[in-house]
Amino acid sequence: MGNDKFEIEARYSISMGGMMIQGSWRALMWIGLSELCALSLWYSASVIAPELIDLWNLSPNSEAWFSASVPIGFVVGALFSAYFGIADRFNARKVFAISAFLGALLNALLIFADSSFIGILLRILTGITLAGIYPVAVKMLSEWFPRKRGLAIGILIAALTLGSSLPHFIVIFFSSLSWKYVIICSSVLALFSAFVVSVILDDAPVKSKRLPFSLKVLKKVIKNKPVMLANYGYFGHMWELYAMWTWLPLFMTASFSTYSPEIPHWVIGLSSFISIGIAGGIGCVIGGLISDKIGRANLTIISMLISASCSIMIGFTFGQYILLTIIISIIWGISIIADSAQFSAAVSEIAEEEYVGTALTFQMCIGFLVTIFSINLIPVIQRMIGWEWAFFILAIGPILGTITMFKYKRYEFRNEKV
């Protein structure tokens, strides 16, 4: 048995000085493609929110629940999955494929929803299925990249970013048709994702050993100061990220319409896709490359300072030249996500091996809980003082995150020395 294991490991020889398993880049391509397609479910309903608001006659309170429904479902699903160790007890590819299939089905059922209660419930359930996609994709990737994951995780987050913004691109083609085509298209993409992972993607030759989530182990995470500093930086990052992704398209709609009522709808959709998806994808890859050279903390500090500046400046472009708004939006889109993967990488590098899984799960769950508050705060501020000042509040997150990552730097330096 020992010889067989040795032969398997030799066959999948470690290349590039023991840093990469043979075939890992092919696996990354399929995992990234699957992530891109499946994550189109996240904002599939948000891009057609005006139509759904009219259809379901949503009240302001219901609109808030609608905006927060997917993050709520994701947090519930992530806690459930991690606590019971679903991804560790079952084949990760199958968990991903089943989750993508169920997500596609639940998303498609929106077509038949005739009330806000059913619609919001379906979005929450869709969020739960996404918890079996994003974290599981990270797990599969970690098995294919046992070391030096910075660039690989960056590429995966780029796929997540493109996938999340994909509905903005889809709506360009169906803006003149029924909103149902957007829902159908995103569900088809999720089904394709399930097919790729279950049929085309192979299992990693070497399995990682990760412990399931435990409340007892969680105490060790909370007492680990450098891990919590990295988490605090992540929480500040998340305060800004999903609120920007959610409301920037609506900001652009209002801003462009104020500048010129004749602006075609597809221009807004394309601008949103470029600012969030294309720019974000580029930012993830650049962040992954640079972080290995200048350090996780330095990369996150630079990114958060730039994104905080953009969240303050973007309001001053409201109703002004469209090109100026798009330029700042693209810079914001690049900087706001460039550091995302590095917070998880930092925790995985500095936490004790026995509770790395719990630390990452804790980081992700609290981070997405934070997004629920910031997402719902933006429309309140917008109604009170207008779009010009609505995004100011988002700068608080990256500013506080920058402070904590400055404190984290000395622990990162010690870890590198060891």
Side-chain angles (χ1 to χ4, degrees), residues 130-343:
L130 287 169
I133 294 172
Y134 173 32
V136 174
V138 175
K139 173 185 170 60
M140 291 191 294
L141 191 68
S142 67
E143 292 175 347
W144 281 102
F145 290 81
R147 295 177 60 192
K148 296 293 182 181
R149 304 170 186 164
L151 177 59
I153 295 178
I155 293 173
L156 181 66
I157 301 301
L160 179 150
T161 305
L162 283 169
S164 298
S165 64
L166 199 56
H168 295 292
F169 185 73
I170 296 172
V171 79
I172 294 173
F173 300 97
F174 298 112
S175 58
S176 61
L177 301 176
S178 172
W179 58 268
K180 296 180 181 180
Y181 287 100
V182 177
I183 296 297
I184 293 172
C185 190
S186 56
S187 289
V188 170
L189 287 171
L191 289 175
F192 174 73
S193 172
F195 171 80
V196 168
V197 170
S198 60
V199 178
I200 300 178
L201 181 66
D202 296 323
D203 287 320
V206 180
K207 298 293 182 182
S208 61
K209 295 180 179 179
R210 292 175 59 192
L211 296 176
F213 184 90
S214 169
L215 292 178
K216 294 181 179 178
V217 178
L218 182 58
K219 294 180 181 178
K220 296 182 180 180
V221 175
I222 296 174
K223 290 181 179 179
N224 189 317
K225 187 174 181 179
V227 167
M228 289 307 299
L229 286 173
N231 282 340
Y232 296 145
Y234 180 76
F235 302 157
H237 156 79
M238 291 295 283
W239 171 265
E240 181 188 26
L241 178 62
Y242 275 82
M244 180 271 206
W245 280 1
T246 300
W247 296 111
L248 181 62
L250 276 79
F251 170 87
M252 285 184 164
T253 301
S255 179
F256 293 2
S257 299
T258 299
Y259 178 76
S260 175
E262 289 80 23
I263 296 293
H265 188 74
W266 67 265
V267 172
I268 301 171
L270 182 60
S271 300
S272 300
F273 178 70
I274 292 174
S275 300
I276 297 174
I278 301 298
I282 293 172
C284 290
V285 176
I286 293 175
L289 287 170
I290 295 178
S291 65
D292 288 332
K293 297 180 179 180
I294 68 174
R296 314 284 185 213
N298 286 330
L299 186 280
T300 59
I301 289 169
I302 294 172
S303 296
M304 285 191 286
L305 287 176
I306 296 175
S307 65
S309 300
C310 290
S311 68
I312 294 172
M313 291 190 298
I314 191 73
F316 294 111
T317 72
F318 184 82
Q320 304 300 317
Y321 291 109
I322 292 176
L323 182 60
L324 180 61
T325 302
I326 293 175
I327 290 173
I328 295 180
S329 297
I330 290 174
I331 296 173
W332 198 8
I334 292 173
S335 60
I336 200 171
I337 193 66
D339 55 348
S340 189
Q342 306 315 314
F343 293 107

Side-chain angles (χ1 to χ4, degrees), residues 38 40 73 87 109 119 130 176 213 337 351 354 373 384 391 393 409:
S40 65
L109 289 176
L130 287 169
S176 61
F213 184 90
I337 193 66
E354 63 177 302
F373 295 99
M384 292 174 59
F391 289 126
I393 194 70
K409 280 184 68 173

Side-chain angles (χ1 to χ4, degrees), residues 3-158:
N3 291 335
D4 291 341
K5 181 179 180 181
F6 177 80
E7 290 176 4
I8 292 174
E9 293 181 350
R11 189 189 322 155
Y12 293 89
S13 59
I14 305 298
S15 60
M16 296 181 63
M19 297 179 184
M20 187 175 66
I21 297 175
Q22 186 176 355
S24 57
W25 289 110
R26 179 179 179 274
L28 173 60
M29 178 187 69
W30 290 122
I31 295 172
L33 177 62
S34 301
E35 185 85 348
L36 187 154
C37 294
L39 262 293
S40 65
L41 298 175
W42 194 290
Y43 285 111
S44 61
S46 299
V47 298
I48 54 171
E51 289 87 345
L52 295 180
I53 289 172
D54 291 340
L55 178 66
W56 297 335
N57 193 25
L58 291 178
S59 65
N61 288 334
S62 296
E63 287 185 41
W65 278 103
F66 176 73
S67 300
S69 56
V70 173
I72 289 173
F74 183 89
V75 170
V76 172
L79 283 172
F80 178 86
S81 175
Y83 186 83
F84 290 101
I86 291 177
D88 295 308
R89 294 170 59 189
F90 303 98
N91 182 279
R93 290 192 304 111
K94 292 181 180 178
V95 173
F96 186 110
I98 292 173
S99 299
F101 175 80
L102 292 176
L105 179 62
L106 291 166
N107 184 66
L109 289 176
L110 274 178
I111 295 175
F112 307 101
D114 56 0
S115 68
S116 59
F117 175 79
I118 298 298
I120 292 172
L121 177 61
L122 287 172
R123 294 305 289 162
I124 292 175
L125 292 175
T126 301
I128 291 175
T129 65
L130 287 169
I133 294 172
Y134 173 32
V136 174
V138 175
K139 173 185 170 60
M140 291 191 294
L141 191 68
S142 67
E143 292 175 347
W144 281 102
F145 290 81
R147 295 177 60 192
K148 296 293 182 181
R149 304 170 186 164
L151 177 59
I153 295 178
I155 293 173
L156 181 66
I157 301 301

